[in-house]
Amino acid sequence: MIALTDDFDQRKLIHHKAATAACKMSIKANWYVSLEEIKVLLDDLRKCENPFNCPHGRPTIITYSNYDLEKLFKRVMD
C-alpha cells in the first residue's frame, strides 16, 4: 500500500506506471513483427516528444556509420 504524503505526486505515479507498462509490453528479442506493425511503430515513434529514448532513458534509435557496419561484418581490417 502506498502511503500518501505531502510530497505525493499523482502525475509522477501515473507516468511511472505507464512507463513500466510500456517497457513490459515492448517488442522482445526474437519476436516476429510484420512490416505493417513496424510502419505503425515508426509512425508512432515520430510523434513522440522525445523519440530517442524510452521513458527509462534507454536508446530507441542507434546510428551506425558505413565503417561501423563494415567492421561488424568483418569487412574492414583495423
Side-chain angles (χ1 to χ4, degrees):
M1 177 176 221
I2 298 175
L4 297 179
T5 62
D6 290 338
D7 62 343
F8 176 76
D9 187 343
Q10 185 176 8
R11 288 182 18 209
K12 284 184 181 179
L13 176 64
I14 292 170
H15 181 269
H16 172 73
K17 293 294 183 185
T20 299
C23 283
K24 294 203 180 287
M25 294 173 57
S26 65
I27 297 170
K28 308 295 187 239
N30 299 317
W31 281 17
Y32 173 79
V33 183
S34 71
L35 184 58
E36 186 58 35
E37 289 172 308
I38 293 169
K39 288 177 181 179
V40 170
L41 285 169
L42 290 174
D43 286 341
D44 289 346
L45 186 62
R46 285 186 192 100
K47 296 173 190 172
C48 290
E49 186 177 314
N50 178 6
F52 303 106
N53 298 90
C54 80
H56 294 109
R58 295 180 190 97
T60 56
I61 299 172
I62 300 171
T63 304
Y64 287 101
S65 68
N66 284 342
Y67 176 80
D68 292 334
L69 283 173
E70 289 175 356
K71 190 173 177 183
L72 285 169
F73 288 93
K74 305 203 183 311
R75 303 212 182 254
V76 175
M77 300 305 267
D78 285 327

